[in-house]
Amino acid sequence: MNPIQQPAIKSLIVRLHKGSLILPVNLMAELVTGGELTPSEHPGVEGWLQWRNRQIPVVSLESLCMQEEAGESDEGKCLILHTVSTLPSLPFIALRVQGGLNTLDILPDTLRDDHSGNVQRCPYVARQVRASHLLCFIPDLPAIEAVLAEVLQLTAEQSESALLE
């Protein structure tokens, strides 16, 4: 009797300043090159990208994990993602990325947990794995989105208090 074969998950592998990320393809909205960021005073938010008449918060996993200052990408590429949370104020987020996108079909045995060099756990990384001999991070999108939701709440409150003054 054959065990039921689980379907492969079509995934993206994207390069960060240091390391790579694995994300499901269905979360990707668009890869944007260039585009000036409006500065942000909030830690973890590199800035705001104007995209399709929306302000999208741009985050860098490295700066969220405090591994380094936001690695300024030479290319200025942002990967726009659909969010996994149901917050109406946060339909999209953008991740700072480098290079192009590679796809990978992930089966249950494709990924191997890899704990090398993971001295301090970042709360925004769900798993550190090897995929095709490449060290990759699987981001904890609900945790990242929760932080951004707090930032958006703070921004809204600051805007309201500025209006009241």
Side-chain angles (χ1 to χ4, degrees):
M1 184 146 169
N2 279 356
I4 296 171
Q5 180 68 37
Q6 291 191 333
I9 299 171
K10 193 105 176 131
S11 300
L12 291 171
I13 296 183
V14 253
R15 273 191 16 240
L16 298 174
H17 190 61
K18 291 182 177 174
S20 296
L21 274 187
I22 293 181
L23 298 158
V25 167
N26 64 350
L27 289 182
M28 181 181 153
E30 190 175 341
L31 180 64
V32 178
T33 305
E36 289 293 309
L37 295 188
T38 306
S40 165
E41 286 93 54
H42 301 287
V45 177
E46 286 194 17
W48 302 88
L49 179 70
Q50 183 68 29
W51 179 74
R52 297 189 181 187
N53 299 322
R54 293 179 175 272
Q55 289 285 337
I56 309 293
V58 177
V59 295
S60 157
L61 195 64
E62 287 106 337
S63 59
L64 274 177
C65 292
M66 302 302 179
Q67 291 175 345
E68 60 180 70
E69 278 304 305
E72 189 55 45
S73 166
D74 313 334
E75 304 166 47
K77 289 186 178 179
C78 291
L79 181 63
I80 312 281
L81 298 174
H82 296 275
T83 54
V84 295
S85 61
T86 55
L87 298 166
S89 61
L90 192 64
F92 300 99
I93 62 171
L95 291 175
R96 177 77 80 176
V97 299
Q98 305 208 357
L101 305 174
N102 295 309
T103 57
L104 175 71
D105 288 335
I106 295 183
L107 293 162
D109 61 350
T110 307
L111 302 179
R112 302 263 180 258
D113 281 316
D114 183 317
H115 302 292
S116 67
N118 194 11
V119 184
Q120 64 187 105
R121 285 271 301 138
C122 172
Y124 305 105
V125 173
R127 280 177 74 193
Q128 183 172 316
V129 296
R130 287 217 175 258
S132 305
H133 306 293
L134 184 66
L135 182 63
C136 297
F137 302 105
I138 298 175
D140 187 341
L141 291 173
I144 293 171
E145 291 169 21
V147 164
L148 291 175
E150 285 178 30
V151 166
L152 289 173
Q153 188 64 39
L154 287 171
T155 306
E157 287 170 5
Q158 288 169 351
S159 297
E160 285 175 21
S161 64
L163 289 173
L164 295 174
E165 289 174 6

